[in-house]
Amino acid sequence: MEIYDYYKEKYPQFEWESLKHHGFHMAIMKRGLCKSSEEEHKDKRLYNCEIIGNQVYGFLGDTGIKVKGYIDKEVEKEFIESLEDGSFYKFAKECYYIVW
């Protein structure tokens, strides 16, 4: 399940359709919501995260290398707060224009 779908299901009270784009994944990476749990890449921020079973996976930037990860609970709290106050929508829109 993509991280977008995970949070859409977990927090249905937020407006999700405007976040279904590249900027959402870039914003998640820039905030550091998903981080690598593998020793070689410990705590590096992940792009295009997904949850399979109970395990988080994501890509190390634009490398194409998919690694195991985790959701940073402190960043998750800030992420939810930014959805509540609307600032994440603006941030994701700005991140939409970021290219590798």
Side-chain angles (χ1 to χ4, degrees), residues 14-26:
F14 298 117
E15 196 288 298
W16 290 99
E17 291 309 308
S18 67
L19 293 174
K20 194 167 177 90
H21 56 72
H22 163 75
F24 173 80
H25 296 288
M26 289 300 288

Side-chain angles (χ1 to χ4, degrees), residues 34-70:
C34 300
K35 294 181 179 169
S36 172
S37 60
E38 294 186 2
E39 202 57 44
E40 184 180 346
H41 308 289
K42 191 75 172 156
D43 296 327
K44 287 190 177 180
R45 297 172 180 191
L46 302 177
Y47 175 77
N48 203 18
C49 301
E50 61 183 349
I51 300 172
I52 301 172
N54 288 325
Q55 180 62 56
V56 174
Y57 294 90
F59 292 93
L60 293 170
D62 65 346
T63 64
I65 299 171
K66 191 173 193 176
V67 297
K68 287 183 180 180
Y70 67 96

